[in-house]
Amino acid sequence: MRATAKANSNIALIKYWGKRNEPLILPTNNSLSVTLDGLYTETTVEFKEELTEDVFTLNDRSITGIPYNRVTQFLNLFRDYSGKANLYAQVDSTNHVPTAAGFASSASGFAALAASAAKALNLKLSNEELSKFTRQGSGSACRSVYGGFVEWEMGENDDGSDSFAVQVAPQEHWDLRVAAVVLTAQEKDVSSRDGMKLTVDTSLFYDGWLAGIPHDLGEIKKGIATRDFEKVGAIAEANCLKMHATTLGANPPFTYWQDSTMAVMQTVQQLRADNTLAYFTIDAGPNVKVLYLPEDEEKVLNTIRQVDSVTDIIVSKVGEGITYP
Ligand code: DP6
C-alpha cells in the first residue's frame, strides 16, 4: 500500500477566481492553464495498519497545523471512497522548486498527493476521476493531472460530478516557455483562497470579471489550436489584469502587486514595444510569470534579469501530466 507520484505545477492563462461551492471547491468559471515542467512535487504515500493518525513531511520537515489538516482531510476522501475509515498514511512530499520563494505550489502538491494516494490504495481511477479528487484539495490542482494545455470545466451539478479538467492540447503541441520571475521570498499576505472569497463576496467588479470569461476562453482556445502566440499572450495578459482588477473593487480593497511586480510588467510591455513578443501573467502573489517563444529566450531573460528586484528566474517548458517514477 505504498506509491510515489510526481506532478508538475501549472499556470493559468484564463484564471480560476471564485467558488460557487466552497467545501466541494466548485468554481464560478472555467479556467485554462499550461502545465510547467520546472516546478513540481514528488510524493510518496504509504498506508500502514500500525499508524493511529496520518504523518506528513514536506522537504524532510514534519508538518502540523493547517497544512497538515488539509492533507488529512484530503486523505479522508480516499478513505471514504475505499471504505477504509481507520487506515492512516505516512506522506512524504518534496517540492522541487529551485529557490524557496513564493512558488510553494498547492497545485503540484495536491495532484501528486491524489495520484500517490489513489495508487497506494490500488484504486483504478480515470484521469477524469482523479481530477475530481484533486480538485477537492485545491482547485487549480485539478489541472495538473494532465500535461500540455488544460481546461477545468466548471460543471453545473451541485455535487461536483461534472467539474473536472480535460486536456485541450498535449505537451508536444507547442513549445512555449514560461519564466517564473522571483521577486520576494515573503509569505503572501492574502492567500488565493481568502482573496477569491473576499472578491466574490464584496467586489463590485466581480460580475464584469465573469462576463468576460466566455470571450477570453473561446479566443484563447482558437489561439492555442493555431499556435497564434500574439493572440494567446494578449488574451492571457488581459485576463490576468481583469482578475487583479476585481481585488481593487473588493471591500476592503487589496492588491497582490508590489512595486517590483509593476516593474516586471512594464519591462515585459517594453519588450513588446521593441518587437519581442513576451506577455505576463500573475497569480495570487507578487511574482510574475512571463510567456515567450524559445527563439526569444536570451533577449527576454537578459532583459528581465536587469530589473532591480529580480532575485531569480525559473524557466519552464510545457510539462507532462502525472507520472509514477
Ligand atoms: C490565482 O487553487 O490556490 O492561481 O481552490 O482555494 O485551493 P483553492 O485555490 P487555488 O487558487 C488559484 C487561483 C489562481 C488562478 C488559477 O490558478 O487559476
Side-chain angles (χ1 to χ4, degrees), residues 1-4 44-48 92 116 119-121:
M1 281 191 292
R2 181 178 201 272
T4 299
T44 300
V45 171
E46 183 169 10
F47 287 92
K48 296 180 184 171
D92 299 303
S116 51
K119 190 163 184 231
L121 291 169

Side-chain angles (χ1 to χ4, degrees), residues 41-45 54-64 67-68 71 75 89-95 109 113:
T41 304
E42 231 170 28
T43 296
T44 300
V45 171
D54 295 317
V55 180
F56 175 35
T57 71
L58 177 60
N59 294 348
D60 292 326
R61 289 176 53 186
S62 176
I63 303 295
T64 55
Y68 171 85
V71 166
L75 289 174
Q90 165 90 38
V91 177
D92 299 303
S93 276
T94 310
N95 266 345
L113 179 59

Side-chain angles (χ1 to χ4, degrees), residues 85-114:
N86 296 313
L87 186 61
Y88 297 100
Q90 165 90 38
V91 177
D92 299 303
S93 276
T94 310
N95 266 345
H96 291 265
V97 180
T99 55
F103 289 110
S105 173
S106 64
S108 57
F110 278 100
L113 179 59

Side-chain angles (χ1 to χ4, degrees), residues 28-57:
T28 48
N29 64 275
N30 286 24
S31 54
L32 187 146
S33 61
V34 182
T35 303
L36 304 179
D37 76 349
L39 307 162
Y40 62 93
T41 304
E42 231 170 28
T43 296
T44 300
V45 171
E46 183 169 10
F47 287 92
K48 296 180 184 171
E49 306 281 358
E50 65 268 28
L51 286 176
T52 53
E53 59 180 10
D54 295 317
V55 180
F56 175 35
T57 71

Side-chain angles (χ1 to χ4, degrees), residues 4-9 35 41 43 107-116 118-119 126-127 130-131 134 141-148 167 171 319-325:
T4 299
K6 176 189 161 190
N8 283 316
S9 189
T35 303
T41 304
T43 296
S108 57
F110 278 100
L113 179 59
S116 51
K119 190 163 184 231
S126 64
N127 280 337
L130 186 58
S131 177
T134 307
C142 79
R143 300 183 306 237
S144 276
V145 167
Y146 306 88
Q167 191 179 58
Q171 186 186 1
E320 62 187 349
I322 284 167
T323 54
Y324 300 91

Side-chain angles (χ1 to χ4, degrees), residues 126-294:
S126 64
N127 280 337
E128 188 182 301
E129 287 171 310
L130 186 58
S131 177
K132 277 191 251 178
F133 271 105
T134 307
R135 186 200 79 223
Q136 295 173 73
S138 182
S140 54
C142 79
R143 300 183 306 237
S144 276
V145 167
Y146 306 88
F149 298 80
V150 182
E151 181 173 4
W152 175 9
E153 296 178 348
M154 62 178 282
E156 290 175 352
N157 300 343
D158 290 340
D159 64 357
S161 53
D162 57 351
S163 185
F164 51 82
V166 295
Q167 191 179 58
V168 169
Q171 186 186 1
E172 319 72 66
H173 175 68
W174 199 5
D175 185 16
L176 286 187
R177 300 293 158 87
V178 178
V181 183
V182 183
L183 299 168
T184 169
Q186 289 165 18
E187 286 279 307
K188 54 192 174 189
D189 288 328
V190 185
S191 69
S192 41
R193 190 159 286 190
D194 295 344
M196 72 174 78
K197 177 163 170 49
L198 182 66
T199 306
V200 172
D201 290 346
T202 67
S203 180
L204 280 178
F205 308 151
Y206 196 68
D207 288 345
W209 157 252
L210 289 180
I213 295 288
H215 168 268
D216 288 359
L217 207 57
E219 289 300 304
I220 207 161
K221 284 203 273 191
K222 282 188 217 161
I224 291 167
T226 57
R227 298 188 198 85
D228 181 343
F229 187 62
E230 263 188 272
K231 187 178 187 110
V232 168
I235 292 167
E237 191 172 296
N239 184 269
C240 153
L241 290 171
K242 283 183 273 192
M243 175 202 127
H244 285 269
T246 66
T247 70
L248 299 177
N251 185 14
F254 67 103
T255 183
Y256 289 106
W257 299 353
Q258 297 178 359
D259 291 357
S260 50
T261 313
M262 287 291 290
V264 176
M265 290 159 70
Q266 284 163 349
T267 303
V268 168
Q269 288 173 335
Q270 188 58 47
L271 274 166
R272 288 210 297 278
D274 298 339
N275 292 318
T276 301
L277 289 183
Y279 298 86
F280 63 76
T281 185
I282 304 159
D283 280 341
N287 296 320
V288 182
K289 294 203 170 79
V290 180
L291 283 94
Y292 57 89
L293 292 169

